[in-house]
Amino acid sequence: MKRKSLKDVSRFLEPYRITRGKRFRLKDHDPGDVGGLGSADKPEAKRLLTNGVERLAELQEKLYASDQWGLLLVFQAMDAAGKDGTIKHVLSGVNPQGCQVTSFKQPSQEELDHDFLWRSQRAGPERGRIGIFNRSYYEEVLVVRVHPQILAGQKLPPRLVGRRLWDERLEDIAAYERYLARNGFPILKFFLNVSRKEQKRRFLERLDQPEKHWKFSPADVRERGHWKGYMAAYEEAIRATAAPHAPWYVVPADQKWFTRLVVAAAIVEALEKLDLAFPKVSDAKREELALARAQLAKE
Ligand code: ATP
Ligand code: MG
């Protein structure tokens, strides 16, 4: 591979970016895809990732300084697809003060006393920041859809739980994302697309290495038994909510180095599109600065 910058990598992104869901089929996406690169390209890919992380840090500083836009990154995946590692590596260079990470677990009693978007709305990023959702409101059309007993525990008035419930939730999510985008908070959604086979390999690795035992939960193997149900739910969610202001990236996740590269490139590209710049200093402010300088010099 020739030396490239992350900008060139943008063209890699196209096959993975879904902005219109109508024709989307998960089966057209290979979890093992590495964008035509081979293992010989790994060092170059690592260099690109390092550049990407640096570029991200610069862009994030401008995002913060201009204090207008906010960016929401949503990470969804089956267990062991690499959400945590991707978040850690891709955002490693970004000033922690400019990031707000939230991991969404089973809702608390207080959260169940509200509508399903309530907790997300509270956790959303401020202007100037990057919000990272490790799992998200999408769980409401994924795990809840796969396990009807979770829905039964949601205290919904029975007459509101009809056959169209999942379509209604997806409509509400799409409307919510449009609302956020119209307020200056575009959204990038990443589905880390790991294969069932690679998940098994990673689970076994966790079981075989004592220092990885903490990462393993027997529930993860149970969820694996619902693979088909999850894939169907993901496909429907992506079809119903992909939009130019809130694209889905279906990121091949069997090769971690490639996953990270695609995610970094997508975030860099999204921030570049915002045409961020440091705020212009007014004439009055410039005069103030000159005065301060003169005062300090006199001391
Ligand atoms: P890791 O295992 O890497 O620490 P994780 O995201 O898998 O990260 P866990 O604590 O293992 O974290 O799992 C969180 C669980 O909470 C997941 O099984 C997820 O499906 C579930 N969850 C998240 N949101 C909801 C929701 N709205 N309703 C029901 N379950 C949810
Ligand atoms: Mg888990």
Side-chain angles (χ1 to χ4, degrees):
M1 175 165 71
K2 283 209 309 274
R3 283 178 82 79
K4 290 186 165 64
S5 78
L6 208 73
K7 251 205 172 129
D8 306 322
V9 175
S10 295
R11 77 185 165 79
F12 274 130
L13 288 174
E14 246 152 74
Y16 314 120
R17 179 177 32 227
I18 319 293
T19 53
R20 206 180 296 259
K22 257 199 169 137
R23 293 226 192 98
F24 175 74
R25 286 278 178 265
L26 201 49
K27 69 170 169 50
D28 297 335
H29 289 256
D30 172 11
D33 182 4
V34 284
L37 305 179
S39 46
D41 299 317
K42 256 187 178 176
E44 183 65 4
K46 283 221 168 100
R47 191 189 63 80
L48 281 179
L49 181 60
T50 310
N51 287 355
V53 168
E54 281 166 16
R55 183 78 192 116
L56 204 61
E58 288 165 20
L59 287 161
Q60 186 259 339
E61 216 178 302
K62 283 188 188 160
L63 182 79
Y64 189 85
S66 47
D67 199 17
Q68 290 176 338
W69 296 97
L71 183 66
L72 177 59
L73 309 177
V74 167
F75 288 88
Q76 285 291 156
M78 297 299 282
D79 288 296
K83 277 184 287 115
D84 294 8
T86 302
I87 293 170
K88 182 167 111 185
H89 279 86
V90 172
L91 294 146
S92 57
V94 172
N95 180 352
Q97 299 212 61
C99 275
Q100 296 164 322
V101 188
T102 312
S103 296
F104 289 95
K105 314 274 181 189
Q106 283 97 338
S108 66
Q109 275 312 315
E110 187 191 19
E111 287 165 350
L112 286 175
D113 272 333
H114 294 268
D115 58 281
F116 79 83
L117 286 170
W118 182 73
R119 64 177 183 165
S120 301
Q121 181 59 15
R122 300 178 96 201
E126 295 165 37
R127 295 189 195 281
R129 317 241 178 170
I130 301 177
I132 298 146
F133 284 3
N134 184 349
R135 300 187 189 270
S136 65
Y137 45 84
Y138 278 99
E139 294 291 328
E140 294 288 339
V141 290
L142 298 167
V143 70
V144 183
R145 191 167 190 174
V146 172
H147 297 285
Q149 70 275 22
I150 302 182
L151 185 66
Q154 288 195 340
K155 304 211 248 180
L156 289 165
R159 76 160 74 147
L160 299 184
V161 184
R163 268 188 308 124
R164 290 202 71 248
L165 180 86
W166 306 114
D167 290 333
E168 288 166 2
R169 282 198 172 181
L170 288 167
E171 271 171 37
D172 292 340
I173 289 175
Y176 178 62
E177 291 180 343
R178 191 182 56 202
Y179 161 80
L180 286 179
R182 282 178 173 167
N183 274 271
F185 297 93
I187 302 129
L188 300 186
K189 301 168 296 191
F190 297 98
F191 169 48
L192 306 191
N193 185 23
V194 75
S195 67
R196 195 158 187 261
K197 194 168 157 212
E198 175 65 13
Q199 189 199 47
K200 178 178 170 184
R201 202 191 62 73
R202 292 183 191 174
F203 280 169
L204 287 173
E205 192 178 83
R206 288 179 183 183
L207 288 167
D208 289 343
Q209 296 178 16
E211 70 280 10
K212 288 195 172 171
H213 280 174
W214 66 272
K215 274 196 178 179
F216 188 84
S217 146
D220 294 352
V221 174
R222 270 201 307 277
E223 290 315 291
R224 180 180 162 77
H226 296 284
W227 195 273
K228 271 203 170 147
Y230 272 108
M231 292 308 119
Y234 268 110
E235 187 171 89
E236 282 209 34
I238 293 167
R239 288 173 69 93
T241 62
H245 56 268
W248 271 102
Y249 284 89
V250 177
V251 188
D254 279 4
Q255 301 290 336
K256 288 181 180 173
W257 59 272
F258 191 66
T259 310
R260 291 167 189 173
L261 195 59
V262 171
V263 171
I267 305 172
V268 166
E269 196 196 57
L271 288 172
E272 302 263 20
K273 269 201 226 146
L274 299 179
D275 292 324
L276 301 165
F278 288 110
K280 284 240 162 49
V281 172
S282 67
D283 289 346
K285 176 91 182 176
R286 229 193 308 273
E287 269 172 42
E288 266 176 31
L289 296 178
L291 210 67
R293 163 170 271 285
Q295 255 170 7
L296 280 170
K298 259 199 282 181
E299 271 181 20

